[in-house]
Amino acid sequence: MRVYNFSAGPSMLPLEVLDKVSKGMSDYGGSGMSVMEMSHRSKPYEAINAETEELLRELMHIPSDYDVLFVQGGATNQFSAVPLNIGTASRKADYAVTGNFAKKAYEEGSKFLDARCVASSEDKNFTYVPELTADMLRPDADYAHICYNNTIFGTRYSAVPDTGKVPLVADVSSCILGQNIDVGKFALLYAGAQKNMGPAGVTAVIVKHELTARADERCPVMLRYDNQVKNKSLYNTPPCFPTYVVCEVLRYLKALGGIDAMEQINERKAGKLYEYIDNSDFYSNPVQKEFRSIMNVPFVSPSKELDALFVAEAEKNGLISLKGHRLVGGMRASIYNAMPEAGVDKLIQFMDEFKKAHK
Amino acid sequence: MRVYNFSAGPSMLPLEVLDKVSKGMSDYGGSGMSVMEMSHRSKPYEAINAETEELLRELMHIPSDYDVLFVQGGATNQFSAVPLNIGTASRKADYAVTGNFAKKAYEEGSKFLDARCVASSEDKNFTYVPELTADMLRPDADYAHICYNNTIFGTRYSAVPDTGKVPLVADVSSCILGQNIDVGKFALLYAGAQKNMGPAGVTAVIVKHELTARADERCPVMLRYDNQVKNKSLYNTPPCFPTYVVCEVLRYLKALGGIDAMEQINERKAGKLYEYIDNSDFYSNPVQKEFRSIMNVPFVSPSKELDALFVAEAEKNGLISLKGHRLVGGMRASIYNAMPEAGVDKLIQFMDEFKKAHK
């Protein structure tokens, strides 16, 4: 029996997508092969690769002066690729530290250039998102870096910061496709697929073309954007199957009505969960309301013992992976695109039963 | 209908593996989830990750002082990772250039250290494998690098070169699991999965533990071996699904009798194909016999026009991806582990019919 999986990533995929993937497992579209078996230089795979890019461009309204790349290594690999590719003019970059991954990006950046932390919410265990404005930045910084949605802490920017003339770079791993993102306000966006886009193993990079031609000469070849741009993400053998599943997810999302429709559903899912928590006088969420993520919802019960019991009992009820990250404790419900509204309803129902039993 | 796919990679997978993968697509082993949906920190996925490593250790008889890593980026990413991790003592490394990828490895190495080409077969378009002995190497070189089997040119080392005290590093992407490899003779082996091991998107690195603790301080975090060793290849979200399929391929190979059994089958498959070519007075293979690969078999007909016709007609007969690499021309049959002997038989039968029709 299928479970409701609240994992922060890898996470649920639409059952329709899994069924379609399964059906083509030994013969995709009459090719006589699995997508896993296809040469990445073959016509059917090149069609998948091209369609994946086109669908992402269409769904996210990506302007034509941006390149769209599908690469390996996860968002973590972009922590290195960003400074090595675009941090090469002044070799200065300014970072906002709003959580664990934002901090890791900053630390990795420091290996390659003069990185400065210009805003941080570490003072309150990352329960809010600090202001970031153009006058906080060095005017000659090669870029300003943010993490748009903080998976572990359940926060997000309520609006895109205005960084003036400093190019804005964002890790959007945990919110891409889940909410509208105005791509034109960013110089570069990147996202691991394993939350809203598909399985782990492929990472999308959306980057202004003019920024792709200035890589550090010691940048490892697989991290170079120019190389992937020139080869349409097929410089070497790409992660074909994960990319194909992303393609199926994008097809599914398009048929559903695109990101506008998805965002409405996500707002509704998150809204009812936060509302229940806020009104429960048993559960609580520590995040300042204006910065609450609609993707990741951390919460606690009145005690650590009850938290542990909650996670264990939930699992017996088919509600999986609700344990919070060790940096936060308690519970966390990641309710990405593929989490059905019925899953959130069942979670709230379980929370209520648990509250009545243990209050 | 399933085709016989002679692609150089990604390439065929055993139908039994595809069927098993398909069956677990929306509920793997009673977990209620696809492997694609599982948290990489979950018990079922950690079990897959551990089993994949154990099976590779068992099948390849990997000594216990070697680490086994599953990483992203393909063999090409290792062209950078090798010098950045182990080329950091003398910062000198010696390369044998026996084909396209061996050359790319050498060129990428040159970005990070004093790389020298000490042996090359480029003079005869890589149709043989040049000698490599300890006295050809700089005694203080951090490593000597070879490509064990050259996918494009259809050559392989007939024996492991003796590099004396200089640690030997080999790209074994196109022969791993297809023939016995004496791991103890190497300091480091690496292989993209997409030929003999599974789908594209995961790369195995087998490295002597003592070599993993000397990475360059500017090595990107995802390329650092020490980091992956410490985290059992789970530093960040790994390519879970490709790794899982590798696990299924290894289970299948073990049940078949392991690498000894597989190597016998592969010798037989390659043997009959070479024998037919050599006796055909129509087709020819340019490689010196002692260096012929048992994985990749390039051949030509009497003319370029007939080559093109051959590839097109073969495809109509369900024999796919036989076009040779542009650097060699003609045809190439990649007959990795998952190519059934019946596929080779059908190819030979087709070759014979084509010969009779066009001689």
Side-chain angles (χ1 to χ4, degrees):
Chain A
M1 208 194 64
R2 293 275 295 169
V3 294
Y4 290 117
N5 172 14
F6 293 89
S7 167
S11 47
M12 290 188 83
L13 290 166
L15 189 56
E16 293 84 342
V17 166
L18 293 173
D19 285 344
K20 205 167 163 198
V21 167
S22 181
K23 278 196 188 101
M25 186 50 73
S26 56
D27 186 1
Y28 173 79
S31 66
M33 293 178 266
S34 169
V35 174
M36 288 194 271
E37 302 177 294
M38 284 177 185
S39 167
H40 57 297
R41 310 286 180 206
S42 68
K43 284 205 182 87
Y45 186 72
E46 283 185 348
I48 290 169
N49 187 57
E51 186 184 347
T52 311
E53 178 183 333
E54 279 159 28
L55 282 170
L56 194 65
R57 284 187 179 278
E58 182 184 341
L59 288 165
M60 291 185 71
H61 310 291
I62 299 172
S64 60
D65 58 330
Y66 285 69
D67 292 310
V68 175
L69 308 174
F70 296 99
V71 296
Q72 295 189 60
T76 304
N77 213 25
Q78 296 307 311
F79 298 170
S80 319
V82 167
L84 282 166
N85 278 280
I86 75 168
T88 54
S90 70
R91 298 197 182 254
K92 295 176 193 169
D94 292 339
Y95 284 76
V97 172
T98 55
N100 189 51
F101 292 107
K103 194 174 179 180
K104 285 191 172 183
Y106 163 60
E107 288 166 354
E108 183 69 7
S110 305
K111 276 166 49 175
F112 304 107
L113 45 63
D114 170 11
R116 186 179 292 180
C117 169
V118 291
S120 170
S121 50
E122 199 163 7
D123 59 333
K124 294 188 180 168
N125 199 30
F126 301 120
T127 51
Y128 70 104
V129 172
E131 197 181 32
L132 183 68
T133 56
D135 59 11
M136 296 162 68
L137 305 171
R138 290 173 287 185
D140 64 339
D142 282 338
Y143 59 88
H145 183 281
I146 64 168
C147 181
Y148 200 82
N149 182 87
N150 297 284
T151 319
I152 292 176
F153 300 92
T155 64
R156 66 165 173 174
Y157 281 85
S158 50
V160 178
D162 179 358
T163 55
K165 286 185 178 162
V166 178
L168 181 59
V169 174
D171 178 352
V172 290
S173 294
S174 50
C175 60
I176 191 168
L177 305 182
Q179 64 178 74
N180 281 300
I181 294 173
D182 187 346
V183 176
K185 291 186 172 168
F186 298 86
L188 193 160
L189 295 165
Y190 61 88
Q194 68 272 9
K195 299 168 195 290
N196 270 328
M197 271 197 296
V202 60
T203 302
V205 177
I206 301 163
V207 53
K208 252 191 183 161
H209 182 70
E210 65 189 35
L211 290 174
T212 60
R214 60 190 223 200
D216 186 292
E217 60 178 20
R218 280 172 48 105
C219 178
V221 63
M222 287 305 296
L223 273 65
R224 286 187 73 118
Y225 297 146
D226 53 356
N227 215 26
Q228 297 289 6
V229 169
K230 203 168 57 186
N231 292 283
K232 297 180 184 299
S233 303
L234 303 176
Y235 174 68
N236 74 340
T237 316
C240 302
F241 193 75
T243 303
Y244 157 63
V245 181
V246 169
C247 187
E248 289 289 8
V249 169
L250 297 177
R251 287 173 181 171
Y252 176 81
L253 182 56
K254 183 179 174 183
L256 194 86
I259 297 178
D260 280 337
M262 197 73 246
E263 186 178 48
Q264 276 191 25
I265 298 170
N266 288 335
E267 295 275 9
R268 198 164 63 226
K269 278 155 49 184
K272 62 169 86 168
L273 184 50
Y274 283 119
E275 191 186 354
Y276 175 75
I277 291 168
D278 290 342
N279 293 333
S280 73
D281 68 359
F282 183 82
Y283 302 103
S284 64
N285 166 285
V287 175
Q288 289 182 27
K289 285 188 183 178
E290 64 183 298
F291 302 119
R292 281 175 168 178
S293 167
I294 60 169
M295 300 274 97
N296 313 96
V297 182
F299 59 95
V300 292
S301 75
S303 75
K304 283 184 181 173
E305 293 68 31
L306 283 173
D307 287 349
L309 186 65
F310 181 100
V311 171
E313 299 266 313
E315 192 158 326
K316 287 179 201 156
N317 283 271
L319 303 165
I320 302 294
S321 280
L322 278 160
K323 193 175 173 191
H325 192 279
R326 64 183 162 73
L327 295 175
V328 175
M331 282 72 75
R332 173 180 46 176
S334 293
I335 50 175
Y336 298 119
N337 288 3
M339 170 60 66
E341 195 162 348
V344 176
D345 292 339
K346 190 173 169 188
L347 171 62
I348 293 172
Q349 190 192 334
F350 173 78
M351 288 170 77
D352 207 50
E353 287 162 10
F354 187 86
K355 180 185 87 169
K356 283 171 184 153
H358 299 283
K359 197 177 171 179
Chain B
M1 207 194 65
R2 293 275 293 169
V3 294
Y4 291 116
N5 171 14
F6 293 89
S7 166
S11 47
M12 291 188 82
L13 289 166
L15 190 55
E16 293 85 341
V17 165
L18 293 173
D19 285 345
K20 206 165 162 198
V21 167
S22 181
K23 278 196 188 99
M25 187 49 73
S26 56
D27 186 0
Y28 173 78
S31 65
M33 292 179 265
S34 169
V35 174
M36 286 193 272
E37 301 177 295
M38 284 178 187
S39 167
H40 57 298
R41 310 287 182 206
S42 68
K43 284 205 181 90
Y45 187 73
E46 284 186 347
I48 290 168
N49 187 57
E51 185 184 346
T52 311
E53 179 183 335
E54 280 159 27
L55 283 170
L56 194 65
R57 285 188 178 277
E58 182 184 340
L59 288 164
M60 290 185 71
H61 311 291
I62 299 172
S64 61
D65 58 329
Y66 286 69
D67 291 310
V68 175
L69 308 175
F70 296 99
V71 296
Q72 295 188 60
T76 304
N77 213 24
Q78 296 307 310
F79 299 169
S80 320
V82 167
L84 283 167
N85 278 279
I86 74 168
T88 54
S90 71
R91 298 196 182 253
K92 295 177 192 170
D94 292 340
Y95 284 76
V97 173
T98 55
N100 189 51
F101 293 107
K103 194 174 180 180
K104 284 191 172 183
Y106 162 60
E107 288 166 353
E108 183 70 7
S110 305
K111 275 165 50 175
F112 305 107
L113 44 64
D114 170 11
R116 187 180 291 181
C117 169
V118 293
S120 170
S121 50
E122 199 163 5
D123 58 333
K124 294 185 181 167
N125 199 28
F126 301 120
T127 51
Y128 70 104
V129 173
E131 198 180 33
L132 183 67
T133 57
D135 58 10
M136 296 161 69
L137 305 171
R138 290 173 286 184
D140 64 339
D142 283 338
Y143 60 87
H145 183 280
I146 65 168
C147 181
Y148 200 82
N149 183 88
N150 298 284
T151 318
I152 292 175
F153 299 92
T155 64
R156 66 164 173 175
Y157 281 86
S158 50
V160 179
D162 180 358
T163 54
K165 286 185 178 162
V166 178
L168 180 59
V169 175
D171 178 352
V172 290
S173 294
S174 51
C175 60
I176 191 169
L177 303 181
Q179 63 177 74
N180 281 301
I181 294 172
D182 187 347
V183 177
K185 291 185 173 170
F186 297 85
L188 193 160
L189 296 165
Y190 61 88
Q194 68 273 10
K195 298 168 195 292
N196 271 326
M197 273 198 293
V202 60
T203 303
V205 177
I206 301 163
V207 54
K208 254 192 180 160
H209 183 70
E210 64 188 35
L211 290 174
T212 60
R214 59 190 223 200
D216 187 291
E217 59 180 18
R218 278 172 49 105
C219 178
V221 62
M222 287 306 296
L223 272 67
R224 286 188 72 120
Y225 296 147
D226 53 356
N227 215 26
Q228 296 289 7
V229 169
K230 203 168 58 187
N231 291 283
K232 298 180 182 301
S233 304
L234 303 176
Y235 174 68
N236 73 339
T237 315
C240 301
F241 194 75
T243 303
Y244 157 64
V245 181
V246 169
C247 188
E248 290 288 8
V249 169
L250 297 176
R251 287 173 180 171
Y252 176 81
L253 182 56
K254 183 179 173 182
L256 196 86
I259 297 178
D260 280 339
M262 198 72 246
E263 186 178 47
Q264 275 191 26
I265 297 169
N266 287 336
E267 294 276 10
R268 198 164 65 224
K269 277 153 51 184
K272 63 169 84 169
L273 184 51
Y274 283 120
E275 192 186 353
Y276 175 76
I277 291 169
D278 290 343
N279 294 333
S280 73
D281 67 1
F282 184 82
Y283 302 104
S284 64
N285 165 286
V287 176
Q288 290 182 26
K289 284 190 183 177
E290 63 183 301
F291 302 118
R292 281 176 168 176
S293 167
I294 60 169
M295 300 275 96
N296 312 96
V297 182
F299 59 95
V300 291
S301 76
S303 75
K304 283 184 182 172
E305 292 68 30
L306 283 173
D307 287 348
L309 187 64
F310 181 99
V311 171
E313 298 265 315
E315 193 159 326
K316 287 180 201 154
N317 283 270
L319 303 165
I320 302 293
S321 280
L322 278 160
K323 193 176 175 190
H325 192 279
R326 63 183 162 74
L327 296 174
V328 176
M331 283 72 75
R332 173 180 47 174
S334 294
I335 48 175
Y336 299 120
N337 288 3
M339 171 59 67
E341 195 162 348
V344 176
D345 292 339
K346 189 172 169 189
L347 172 62
I348 292 172
Q349 191 193 331
F350 173 79
M351 288 169 78
D352 207 50
E353 286 161 13
F354 187 86
K355 181 184 86 170
K356 283 171 185 153
H358 299 283
K359 197 177 172 179

